[in-house]
């Protein structure tokens, strides 16, 4: 460690240097007999301890001390006043301005050595502490980075899971959309043909109008033209056409409404979940939308029985809760399919209020869950499905989503008989919820 001794008396400098070098290990003593150069010496070297005379020409030791303490780089430096002054007031000023200690002149070797040694030790301890603090700060930054990475990974997994489920149900959704689009297109074609018939009739009718307007027209001509109009109407089956138009239009409007409903549900489901999407929502509507999206996945496996209660709206992220329900419906349907049974299975979905919660309970009469698996189904990557068909993330993500809402996620299963999952959302959920999960 470097020790700077500032004193205008050469004798004191030499004496201090000799004593330090003889008694304290690993120290380099730098001498300065002009206080105006002291700061330059500090800047040039890596000084740990300064020994500072008080009464010196040009600048006194207290001024130098003030300069040292005004510089942030030197705030941990040990400064010992080295002085013949003995009055208490001077010491008070020194300590007030940041001196760590003082040594009286003339030098007493034992006291001098002990005080310098203490200053060196204090400086070393400060350096160790500083080093530890820097390491801790670095570790804290690293920890923050790791936490962020974990969050990103988790978010990525959620997105991936969402996409996987989306892929799985895409075919079903395409089918659901295809059907109404098919009959709307066919209705439009029919309406186009009807329009052509009406146009034909209208042309004949225009002609008839002209004949009627002619003052010289004979009664026979008039009747002939009238007959033309009637024949045209009969040939084109205008009566049937007119009767058919209204139902065709109504059916097409219903079809278009069905498509937009599916698209709306999909949009809710596919939303990223990063924004604050927490709003007041009707759980029954979220269940309906989840059913609409999974309808095709379920319809060849199970009958769905709905028992919707009148439930108060709750604060929740509709997209995320919808995703949880979709996963539960798909799980139930896959469980029933895995039994390869002859007839259809049953899925019952009910909503009700239970104290301070609204609940959606989804029960199936599938194979049930083995008791030894029951405590593991919420673990990420736990799956009993074949490699490639299940990631085992559905329930763990659903669990995170429900917990984030301050809710409860419960399972009951009777192995061999069926399974029930209950999603419970609190009526008094906070408006703001932290990041995704
Ligand atoms: N309704 C259910 N009936 C029987 N077993 C179920 C049911 N729901 C979940 N399980 C069991 O819990 C396991 C974990 O379910 P989870 O939804 O987390 O993953 P997964 O369905 O296997 O895969 P993924 O959801 O990623 O496609 C399933 O593999 C299955 O063994
Ligand atoms: Mg699943």
């Amino acid at each position: 460690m470097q020790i700077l001794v500032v004193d205008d008396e050469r004798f004191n400098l030499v004496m201090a240097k000799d004593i330090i070098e003889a008694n304290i290990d690993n120290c380099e003593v730098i001498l300065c007999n002009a206080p105006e150069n002291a700061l330059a010496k500090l800047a040039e070297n890596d000084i740990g301890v300064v020994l500072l005379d008080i009464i010196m020409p040009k600048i006194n030791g207290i001024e130098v001390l003030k300069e040292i303490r005004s510089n942030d780089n030197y705030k941990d430096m040990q400064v010992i006043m080295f002085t013949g002054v003995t009055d208490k007031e001077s010491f008070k000023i020194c300590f007030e301005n940041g001196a760590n200690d003082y040594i009286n002149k003339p030098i007493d070797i034992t006291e001098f050595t002990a005080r310098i040694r203490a200053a060196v030790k204090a400086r070393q301890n400060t350096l160790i502490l500083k080093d530890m603090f820097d390491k801790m700060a670095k570790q804290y930054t690293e920890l923050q980075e790791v936490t962020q990475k974990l969050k990103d990974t988790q978010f990525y997994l959620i997105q991936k899971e969402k996409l996987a489920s989306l892929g799985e149900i895409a075919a079903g959704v395409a089918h659901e959309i295809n059907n109404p689009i098919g009959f709307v297109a066919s209705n439009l074609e029919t309406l186009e043909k009807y329009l052509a018939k009406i146009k034909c009739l209208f042309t004949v009718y225009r002609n008839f109008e002209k004949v009627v307007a002619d003052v010289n027209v004979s009664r026979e001509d008039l009747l002939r033209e009238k007959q033309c109009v009637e024949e045209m109407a009969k040939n084109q089956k205008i009566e049937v056409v007119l009767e058919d138009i209204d139902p065709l239009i109504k059916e097409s409007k219903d079809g278009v409404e069905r498509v937009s409903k599916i698209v709306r549900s999909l949009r809710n489901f596919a939303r990223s979940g990063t924004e604050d999407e927490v709003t007041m929502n009707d759980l029954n509507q979220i269940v309906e939308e989840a059913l609409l999206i999974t309808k095709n996945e379920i319809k060849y496996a199970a009958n769905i029985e709905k028992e919707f209660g009148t439930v108060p709206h709750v604060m929740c992220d509709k997209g995320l809760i919808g995703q949880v329900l979709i996963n539960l419906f798909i799980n139930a349907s896959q469980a029933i399919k895995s039994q390869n049974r002859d007839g259809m299975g049953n899925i019952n979905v009910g909503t009700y209020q239970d104290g301070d919660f609204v609940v959606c309970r989804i029960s199936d009469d599938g194979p049930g869950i083995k008791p030894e698996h029951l405590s593991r189904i919420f673990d990420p990557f736990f799956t009993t499905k074949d490699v490639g068909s299940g990631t085992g993330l559905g329930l763990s993500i659903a669990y995170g989503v429900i917990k984030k809402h301050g809710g409860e996620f419960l399972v009951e299963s009777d192995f061999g008989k069926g399974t029930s999952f209950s999603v419970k959302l609190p009526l008094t959920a906070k408006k703001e919820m932290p990041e995704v999960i």
Side-chain angles (χ1 to χ4, degrees), residues 331 335 364 368-369 377 382-385 390-395 419 421:
N331 275 353
D364 64 71
I369 299 170
I377 55 168
F382 175 81
T383 180
T384 54
K385 293 173 190 166
T391 62
L393 280 173
L395 289 179
T419 307
F421 283 93

Side-chain angles (χ1 to χ4, degrees), residues 27-221:
C27 281
E28 183 194 347
V29 181
I30 297 168
L31 301 178
C32 173
N33 70 343
E36 64 274 21
N37 296 336
L39 288 172
K41 293 268 183 204
L42 286 179
E44 287 160 14
N45 298 284
D46 183 19
I47 309 283
V49 178
V50 181
L51 209 57
L52 197 56
D53 185 15
I54 296 184
I55 298 170
M56 292 182 286
K58 293 192 187 164
I59 314 173
N60 72 35
I62 293 171
E63 291 309 314
V64 179
L65 173 66
K66 284 182 187 166
E67 292 275 358
I68 291 175
R69 288 308 185 212
S70 66
N71 188 328
D72 259 4
N73 294 332
Y74 306 146
K75 67 178 191 304
D76 298 325
M77 191 173 275
Q78 289 287 314
V79 182
I80 304 175
M81 305 314 286
F82 180 41
T83 176
V85 175
T86 52
D87 69 292
K88 291 233 165 66
E89 191 51 34
S90 299
F91 289 144
K92 189 172 166 248
I93 293 171
C94 289
F95 284 120
E96 277 171 0
N97 284 290
N100 297 96
D101 200 357
Y102 69 92
I103 298 176
N104 276 128
K105 292 177 194 167
I107 293 177
D108 173 292
I109 295 178
T110 313
E111 184 198 350
F112 183 88
T113 310
R115 287 190 188 263
I116 297 285
R117 199 171 270 142
V120 168
K121 189 80 197 148
R123 171 68 180 168
Q124 279 168 344
N125 286 342
T126 312
L127 289 178
I128 292 169
L129 269 176
K130 203 165 166 294
D131 190 47
M132 274 166 63
F133 181 78
D134 287 348
K135 274 190 192 136
M136 269 169 64
K138 201 169 150 239
Q139 278 173 353
Y140 179 70
T141 316
E142 281 170 7
L143 205 70
Q144 272 185 325
E145 281 169 13
V146 172
T147 311
Q148 188 53 45
K149 266 191 201 140
L150 263 174
K151 275 188 190 158
D152 291 348
T153 313
Q154 200 173 28
F155 178 65
Y156 166 75
L157 283 176
I158 291 168
Q159 292 299 308
K160 209 169 144 247
E161 164 73 2
K162 215 184 263 184
L163 289 179
S165 319
L166 260 185
E168 204 165 295
I169 57 178
V173 170
H175 180 88
E176 288 301 312
I177 289 179
N178 241 354
N179 189 17
I181 284 189
F183 68 72
V184 169
S186 138
N187 288 355
L188 276 176
E189 245 172 63
T190 312
L191 284 169
E192 200 177 17
K193 280 183 202 149
Y194 286 177
L195 189 64
K197 287 173 187 274
I198 292 170
K199 273 183 181 166
C200 280
L201 179 68
F202 195 65
T203 316
V204 180
Y205 173 75
R206 269 275 152 85
N207 205 36
F208 177 61
E209 258 186 351
K210 269 190 218 152
V211 175
V212 171
D214 184 353
V215 283
N216 299 320
V217 70
S218 68
R219 186 163 167 74
E220 289 77 41
D221 284 346

